[in-house]
Structures are given as C-alpha cells and as structure tokens.
Amino acid sequence: MERLDPDKLPRHVAIIMDGNGRWAKRRGLTRIVGHQKGTESVRDIVRTSRELGIKWLTLYAFSEENWKRPSYEVKALMGLLNRYLKSELKEMLDNGIRLACIGQTEKLPPEVQRTLWQTIEKTEHNTEMTLTLALSYGGRQEIVRAVKKMLGDIEKGTLHVNRITEERLSEYLYTADTPDPDLLIRTSGEYRISNFLLWQVAYTEIFTTPTLWPDFRKERYLEALLDYQKRERRFGTTGEQTIHPE
Ligand code: IPE
Ligand code: IPE
Ligand code: MG
C-alpha cells in the first residue's frame, strides 16, 4: 500500500459511524451485537488516529434523532457507552488523549453523564489528541442553541448585531475551540450527513465507503486517509491558485 504523507494528514477527522445494525443482521445476530462489535472499531480508529498524530477526532456516537429508536436499543447503547468510557480511561491517560463531548448531554442517563464528566475531567490536561464524542447531537439543534445564546448576549448588551460574523457565530457552537473537520468519513454506503456538524462541514472533504462500521478498522481508515491526501482542496479558488498560491 502507498505510504501516507505525514505532512499532509488531516488535522481534524470526523466520522459518522454507521452500519452496526446491518452488520449484525447479515450474520443473523441482534443489532445490539452489532453495536458491541462497533465499539471495537472505535478503539481501533482512536488508537490509529493517535499513532498517526491526528490532533482532532470527532465521532458521531448518538444523534438527537437516535432517541426515536426502540427503548431497549437506546438502553443498550447507553450501557455500551458507559462501559466504553470506563474501559478506555487508562488508554486515554497513557496516550495523552483528551476527551470532549458535543450535544445535549443533559439528556443522557445520569450514570452515563457522571462517567462522561469524570472522564472529561481526568483527561482535561492531555494535549496529544482531542477525542470528541457527539452524543445526543444534532447540527440543527446546535445552531438553534447558538442563536438563542447570541440573542441572550444581545439582550444583555455584551454582543452587538453588527459584530456578528462567521467567526463569532462559530464561538457559540459546541465546537467553539475546535477547527472545522478536514475529512468526514461515513461508513455503510449512505450518502447523507444525518444532521452532523452542519455548519462545520462547509469545506470538509467527504469520504464514503460501503464498509460497515464494525468492519472499519485500521486498514480501511488508512485507505480513507490516502484518498484524502490525493485531493485538491480549493476553497472556492481555481486549481492554478491552489497549486501556486499568490
Ligand atoms: C450506527 O449503526 C450506530 C448508531 C447510529 C448509534 P446503526 O445502528 O445506524 O446501523 P444500521 O444503519 O441500522 O445498519
Ligand atoms: C447517524 O446514523 C448517527 C450516528 C452514526 C450516531 P443513523 O443510522 O442514525 O442515520 P440515518 O437515520 O440512517 O440517517
Ligand atoms: Mg444507521
């Protein structure tokens, strides 16, 4: 396989981890087994990202819309999340990984919230990589929340309408301190964003693969990164300008 160029790695990779249910169904197993298998991929991708030196990794673990799933599935997902956080703490500490979260985490079961915030606190001084979990997250909800917070500041007089810029609005999002994703990966062959990081993906490179999330391991990930490195990011300019920046 071709070698990755360490100087051209994406700074921030975001992943829509999809296909656990179908992975299980194909094997005559329950969806829950698919989710369990999916956490092994999470482990593998986090570890590989850290080894490669990727600074920001954001994983879509549970969408705002996923609350509509059958309650036993939601419960199983919450249990898996709780267990994952506990089992990975040591690895995060050993490898300088800081945990962060985005989304309406106040909706998560109290026990999961406790584990989540404890892990965030214990890893807060780590600087090698930030692993952000999107939990009860929705891009539209995030934007509505930002607008409300901005209006609150306008009422208080700490923000003036003329001062609202793209940068200022970004500061009101969950991702205020995070660079926009350079690469967005979606597994399982779907071509949709499913309400993930709507504002932030304006100029993100998108990679989709038919591989189902439980099968998405290091090898597949490296392929996605290689594909990313072959792309020319233009940001609205012409090809000539990107090759010979003025
Ligand atoms: C992704 O796998 C995990 C979550 C959304 C929590 P799915 O559960 O969506 O798997 P499919 O799409 O049904 O195969
Ligand atoms: C997106 O997957 C959410 C996560 C991966 C957490 P879904 O499986 O929920 O998305 P849709 O419903 O197929 O769009
Ligand atoms: Mg799905």
Side-chain angles (χ1 to χ4, degrees), residues 112-123:
V112 179
Q113 287 189 45
R114 247 191 324 271
T115 316
L116 180 66
W117 290 107
Q118 278 169 3
T119 317
I120 288 173
E121 259 175 47
K122 286 181 183 154
T123 60

